[in-house]
Structures are given as structure tokens and as C-alpha cells.
Amino acid sequence: MQVGVVKELMPGERRVAIVPKSVEALRKAGLQVVAERNCGLLSGVSDQAYRDAGAEIVDSREAVYQSDVVVQVRGCGAQNSHTSIDKQLTK
């Protein structure tokens, strides 16, 4: 099973749904983790930190949405002007 982490789109949102420590725990449980490039940037977490924890960094939101489970701080539909982006990807 694959878990995907997307970059938050809501203006001012600095949190990220999964931090590298959580990636380690998910990997130990046998899950694959993919993270959208720069998903943790505003939280002060580099792509390299995600790689070091065992996540694969992908270049697009679309690639993350190929995961079995997609996690984000603000759920699909809660991001106001960005709702259409996520809704198109969940079809």
C-alpha cells in the first residue's frame, strides 16, 4: 500500500500532514510513502529529510494522487479556491 503526501495549497498554511519521523514509522509498517516535491518546505522540512526517512519524492500532485491513500492537513474540498484541483485528481 502506498501513502502520498501533498503540498498544502491554502495560503498561509505552513503545516504538512506527515513529517519524516512518521515516514519512518509507515515504512517500518511495510507501507510505501511518496511525497510531493517541497511538501514540507514551509514547515522547515527538506525533500532530503523525506528521502532519508524512506519516502520517494515526486514532481507532481498528480503522481501523489496515484497513491492508495492521500494525506493532507486540510482535506479535499476544504481548500476553497483550490478545491477543483484536488477534485479533478480524485476522479
Side-chain angles (χ1 to χ4, degrees), residues 6 13 18 33 52 75 88-89:
V6 292
E13 181 59 76
I18 293 181
V33 180
D52 292 346
Q88 289 172 6
L89 296 173

Side-chain angles (χ1 to χ4, degrees), residues 49-70:
Y50 282 98
R51 276 190 209 95
D52 292 346
E56 175 188 354
I57 303 300
V58 295
D59 289 323
S60 70
R61 196 169 190 88
E62 291 82 4
V64 175
Y65 268 88
Q66 298 304 307
S67 301
D68 299 299
V69 176
V70 176

Side-chain angles (χ1 to χ4, degrees), residues 25-38:
L26 291 169
R27 296 287 296 148
K28 283 182 184 176
L31 302 173
Q32 296 176 318
V33 180
V34 297
E36 183 178 4
R37 185 169 307 285
N38 296 322

Side-chain angles (χ1 to χ4, degrees), residues 5 10 14 19 26 30 35 37 43-44 59 61 64 66 71 81 84 88 90-91:
V5 187
M10 183 69 127
R14 301 178 61 85
V19 295
L26 291 169
R37 185 169 307 285
S43 296
D59 289 323
R61 196 169 190 88
V64 175
Q66 298 304 307
V71 295
S81 62
S84 63
Q88 289 172 6
T90 58
K91 290 183 179 181

